[in-house]
Amino acid sequence: MSSSSPTAAVQSSSRPRVMFICKSNSCRSQMAHGYLENIAGDSVIVESAGCIEESTVNMKAATVMQEVDIDISDYSSNALTEYDPCDGYAAVISLCGCGPEISPDWKKTYFVDWNLDDPPALDPGDLSVYRRVRGEVLDRVEGLIQMLEVNIDDTNK
């Protein structure tokens, strides 16, 4: 984790920008993107990307997010190279343990690696791992919102 304070970055902008990074931007980062966008609405700029290119959103992840009324099925899976780490991110979050693979340029602001389990790798076929990880992602996103001191109300959505 970087020693920079996310609150300092937020104070320079009325809408903090958050980047979620995962190996392929197909599952965990998409869940986090969907949750933060749904909870924070227009009060946060949310982006997500993968360390590798040419991926798609995992349909099982989309299914379990739909269970909580969040539709990520139309989200695009983007490569991290499509973004500029100098774009003023208040927080950069790795979800999969890929922190060592991420350029140090992304770690100049608040950076943390949540290192969550990979549902496709552990899936017994019943969506249980996807649902468990979905719950873990929600807990972490709610903590991120508090840490960033984002004001959430119904007008933000």
Side-chain angles (χ1 to χ4, degrees):
M1 180 173 5
S2 170
S3 61
S4 298
S5 165
T7 305
V10 171
Q11 290 170 352
S12 68
S13 169
S14 61
R15 288 179 41 180
R17 175 178 244 134
V18 174
M19 171 61 79
F20 292 110
I21 302 172
C22 209
K23 184 67 101 183
S24 63
N25 190 222
S26 65
C27 190
R28 294 162 284 189
S29 54
Q30 296 288 358
M31 289 180 182
H33 187 151
Y35 267 131
L36 185 56
E37 196 168 72
N38 182 267
I39 296 168
D42 292 336
S43 63
V44 175
I45 299 167
V46 186
E47 296 171 323
S48 62
C51 295
I52 62 172
E53 297 183 26
E54 299 182 31
S55 186
T56 59
V57 175
N58 181 298
M59 285 299 106
K60 290 182 179 182
T63 297
V64 299
M65 290 303 287
Q66 190 64 54
E67 292 174 353
V68 294
D69 296 321
I70 297 175
D71 186 2
I72 64 169
S73 63
D74 288 334
Y75 282 23
S76 61
S77 182
N78 304 306
L80 190 57
T81 56
E82 297 174 32
Y83 297 93
D84 184 348
C86 297
D87 278 349
Y89 291 91
V92 176
I93 312 294
S94 167
L95 287 95
C96 65
C98 64
E101 300 170 38
I102 297 170
S103 165
D105 291 339
W106 285 99
K107 299 174 184 176
K108 291 180 180 176
T109 184
Y110 176 79
F111 176 84
V112 65
D113 196 330
W114 289 348
N115 203 16
L116 300 173
D117 285 340
D118 183 17
L122 302 172
D123 182 21
D126 62 1
L127 300 178
S128 61
V129 176
Y130 286 86
R131 291 181 181 115
R132 177 179 56 78
V133 171
R134 177 190 65 197
E136 293 170 5
V137 168
L138 175 59
D139 290 343
R140 302 285 180 101
V141 166
E142 289 174 336
L144 178 64
I145 289 169
Q146 289 177 358
M147 185 185 61
L148 291 173
E149 299 177 0
V150 174
N151 268 337
I152 305 298
D153 62 36
D154 290 335
T155 61
N156 289 332
K157 298 179 185 175

